[in-house]
Amino acid sequence: MTFLQRASVLTVSILLAACAETVPLTETKPVPAPLQPVAAAVNPAWAGRLATGSFSCEMGNKVEVKVDASNNVSLVWKGSTYKMTPVSTSTGALRFEDKGDGLVWIQIPSKSMLLNSKIGQQLANDCKTR
């Protein structure tokens, strides 16, 4: 082994040993994470646009839409209450679904409608608040 090869091996060994050195934990100081402000109860985008209350629909059908303090939407149809979940749309219409029962509530400015996605049928159309 030549002098240059020995020097290279020695240099690499010293560098690797220096990298393997550990710093005692007492010498390190944790950097605290910046505090993020916690937003107060934020209203979803649909909250200001959703019409609630009693709706009269074609053929004498009635639907009631309620929103509680936690922004949970419930819909009353033919004596049963359904928990509705907001679904985003590309059209700007408000859409809420109860996937378990297949109910879909759609609101546009001029009217609302209730659909059953499981059977592909309109349950109530041309619904308007009283």
Side-chain angles (χ1 to χ4, degrees):
M1 197 182 264
T2 67
F3 175 77
L4 187 57
Q5 289 173 330
R6 285 186 204 157
S8 296
V9 169
L10 183 61
T11 305
V12 169
S13 298
I14 292 171
L15 287 173
L16 287 174
C19 291
E21 248 183 70
T22 58
V23 178
L25 291 177
T26 56
E27 293 182 21
T28 62
K29 294 181 182 176
V31 178
L35 296 176
Q36 298 294 327
V38 176
V42 177
N43 285 333
W46 53 261
R49 299 184 306 140
L50 179 66
T52 59
S54 297
F55 290 79
S56 295
C57 310
E58 287 181 342
M59 300 172 52
N61 289 310
K62 300 208 181 300
V63 176
E64 187 173 351
V65 176
K66 303 174 187 177
V67 178
D68 66 16
S70 299
N71 288 321
N72 295 314
V73 177
S74 60
L75 182 137
V76 179
W77 166 251
K78 295 202 174 192
S80 296
T81 302
Y82 302 90
K83 182 179 177 187
M84 307 300 282
T85 304
V87 176
S88 64
T89 65
S90 60
T91 62
L94 298 178
R95 180 182 175 115
F96 295 86
E97 293 183 4
D98 179 331
K99 292 192 183 214
D101 291 305
L103 292 183
V104 178
W105 178 250
I106 299 175
Q107 279 190 1
I108 58 175
S110 61
K111 67 176 185 174
S112 301
M113 64 186 75
L114 182 63
L115 311 170
N116 185 323
S117 63
K118 286 189 173 182
I119 61 174
Q121 189 175 41
Q122 283 188 3
L123 301 176
N125 195 7
D126 201 24
C127 301
K128 299 179 182 178
T129 56
R130 296 182 198 174

